[in-house]
Amino acid sequence: MAARSGTVDRRTQLLHAARTVFAKKGYEDATISEIVRRAGVAQGTFYLYFPGKEALAGAFAELISERFAELAQEKTSRSRSFDTALVRVFEASYQMADEHRDIFLIANRGLELVEDLDEWMNRTAPARDWLERFVRYWQAEGAIDARIRPASIARVLRDALDRASKAFILFGDRNYGRDLAELLRRGLAAGRVA
């Protein structure tokens, strides 16, 4: 058991070092040598946890996905209406992006850098799984059209949150998210005639 906690600590240590190096030099100019020097480990240690620098983007995406799910649960747990809950989901996404501002755009490049879509889907599962539960709950409450597959809505909603968070991080723009939330609210409403 001690080895496992050491393993988690070393991986976390490398991720923290990578965040620091990326913040100073940017993703493109950062090197593994600088990351391991900052972490205070041998270069070979890096490769025990990550096959290359590209894998860090996927690890950051996983971290961000987990944090989003935590924040979204906290912010929506007491929502009495879908409208309020949806606004709070966007707030959770903005908070997550702000907390991870230094790696948010790098994590979003993860899809371009992973070997296959299944790996990306696994890394971003916490956010998508939470969104599916969110959708199912509001379908059961009658707020979201039950004819639409929760997995499809979750993917679209995740993409909308991603775009809104990018607009927030890059330009400080929350209006894009408000517009997306309104569009989603109207498009997902139960009782609409097809």
Side-chain angles (χ1 to χ4, degrees):
M1 199 61 121
R4 181 161 172 72
S5 65
T7 299
V8 172
D9 291 341
R10 185 70 72 204
R11 183 177 188 275
T12 301
Q13 184 180 357
L14 286 163
L15 287 171
H16 284 296
R19 282 181 86 155
T20 302
V21 173
F22 290 158
K24 287 182 183 177
K25 300 198 81 174
Y27 177 80
E28 298 300 329
D29 292 332
T31 66
I32 292 172
S33 295
E34 292 168 313
I35 293 167
V36 297
R37 186 171 31 256
R38 177 77 184 174
V41 300
Q43 188 142 347
T45 302
F46 179 89
Y47 294 103
L48 294 173
Y49 300 93
F50 306 101
K53 183 171 80 168
E54 298 79 16
L56 293 169
F60 290 144
E62 190 173 348
L63 176 76
I64 285 172
S65 181
E66 290 168 355
R67 182 62 178 146
F68 166 76
E70 291 170 10
L71 288 170
Q73 181 59 40
E74 289 171 16
K75 290 186 175 292
T76 62
S77 64
R78 293 190 181 114
S79 297
R80 293 184 151 168
S81 73
F82 174 65
D83 293 357
T84 300
L86 188 59
V87 166
R88 290 181 179 163
V89 168
F90 275 85
E91 289 171 3
S93 188
Y94 293 145
Q95 183 177 337
M96 173 277 306
D98 195 42
E99 287 176 6
H100 296 87
R101 185 178 289 267
D102 58 332
I103 58 168
F104 181 74
L105 296 176
I106 294 167
N108 271 271
R109 292 184 59 195
L111 180 57
E112 302 164 26
L113 302 173
V114 294
E115 293 291 321
D116 60 39
L117 183 59
D118 288 340
E119 179 185 346
W120 180 253
M121 297 301 276
N122 288 335
R123 289 194 177 272
T124 58
R128 223 177 23 269
D129 292 347
W130 185 88
L131 288 167
E132 280 190 47
R133 288 190 304 274
F134 174 80
V135 168
R136 282 190 184 95
Y137 175 82
W138 289 106
Q139 281 179 323
E141 292 292 312
I144 296 177
D145 189 331
R147 297 172 294 178
I148 307 172
R149 287 186 15 216
S152 297
I153 297 171
R155 287 178 82 167
V156 168
L157 185 52
R158 198 204 80 65
D159 287 347
L161 292 166
D162 181 58
R163 298 297 289 183
S165 294
K166 283 179 185 173
F168 171 66
I169 289 297
L170 293 172
F171 309 113
D173 181 4
R174 289 179 183 251
N175 291 326
Y176 185 71
R178 281 189 208 110
D179 293 344
L180 281 172
E182 179 63 16
L183 180 66
L184 287 164
R185 187 187 64 74
R186 289 179 185 205
L188 297 172
R192 297 180 50 87
V193 177

